[in-house]
Amino acid sequence: HDKLKKYRQTLDKLSPIMVAAALLLCGLWLRWPNVGYDGPASPEQYGGFATLRGVYSDIPMLYFRDGLANHPRPYFDYPLEYPIGTGLVIYLLTLATYSMPQYFVLTSLAMSVCGLVTVALVQRFPRGNVWLFALSPALALYVNLNWDMWGVLLMVVALLLFVRERDGPATALLAAAVWTKFFPIVFL
């Protein structure tokens, strides 16, 4: 009876993660044609390609627009409209890649990990309904549209720390979340 109870608890924790992983994989599949883009390194050319196929993503668009193949430093070597936390993520991911397809896949995987960790963290909230997040179509639609999942993860960690009355670290992480994307500011 105890083994069955432990199995059930493990399954209850892993099920939302598995469902979210399936949605995240769907998101990668939806925009997979980006990996096969072999046109000119031009945001206009990519934009036409992506629009015709319904696979637009800021990830390849900014890769071409900002010349990320040359590993420039955001804000110093080119202007970037995203906050500094996102600029840092963009820069670190470009350092690990040498082509737009590599960059797109690595960024997609990094944002997917952020999504999965977020699912695991939502389960730790008192009365948190993880299924509202794990079954959200937004996981598939936004995972590799841009870098929002990084901001979502930081925001959820901050909120979890606030719930646990660890206000100092929570405030620092919420500030980091706002430095990554501006939408976490609504939680202030």
Side-chain angles (χ1 to χ4, degrees), residues 27-141:
L28 183 57
W29 174 77
L30 286 170
R31 290 198 176 88
W32 190 257
N34 284 303
V35 174
Y37 176 74
D38 60 356
S42 154
E44 294 80 21
Q45 292 293 323
Y46 165 74
F49 166 88
T51 301
L52 285 175
R53 289 160 183 79
V55 298
Y56 177 82
S57 170
D58 284 350
I59 296 163
M61 178 61 84
L62 270 64
Y63 188 87
F64 295 130
R65 184 195 76 185
D66 298 333
L68 299 182
N70 299 320
H71 312 294
R73 297 167 303 162
Y75 319 108
F76 297 103
D77 299 330
Y78 68 96
L80 182 64
E81 65 274 17
Y82 283 92
I84 196 164
T86 300
L88 179 62
V89 169
I90 290 169
Y91 180 65
L92 292 175
L93 291 169
T94 62
L95 290 178
T97 60
Y98 298 98
S99 68
M100 187 283 290
Q102 287 178 357
Y103 180 68
F104 180 78
V105 170
L106 182 62
T107 302
S108 296
L109 292 175
M111 295 305 107
S112 294
V113 168
C114 289
L116 292 174
V117 172
T118 301
V119 171
L121 291 173
V122 168
Q123 294 182 71
R124 296 173 180 241
F125 281 89
R127 298 180 312 272
N129 187 344
V130 69
W131 288 107
L132 290 176
F133 187 77
L135 289 170
S136 173
L139 287 174
L141 297 175

Side-chain angles (χ1 to χ4, degrees), residues 9-19 123:
Q9 288 172 338
T10 301
L11 190 61
D12 287 347
K13 285 184 180 186
L14 290 180
S15 293
I17 293 171
M18 291 186 294
V19 168
Q123 294 182 71

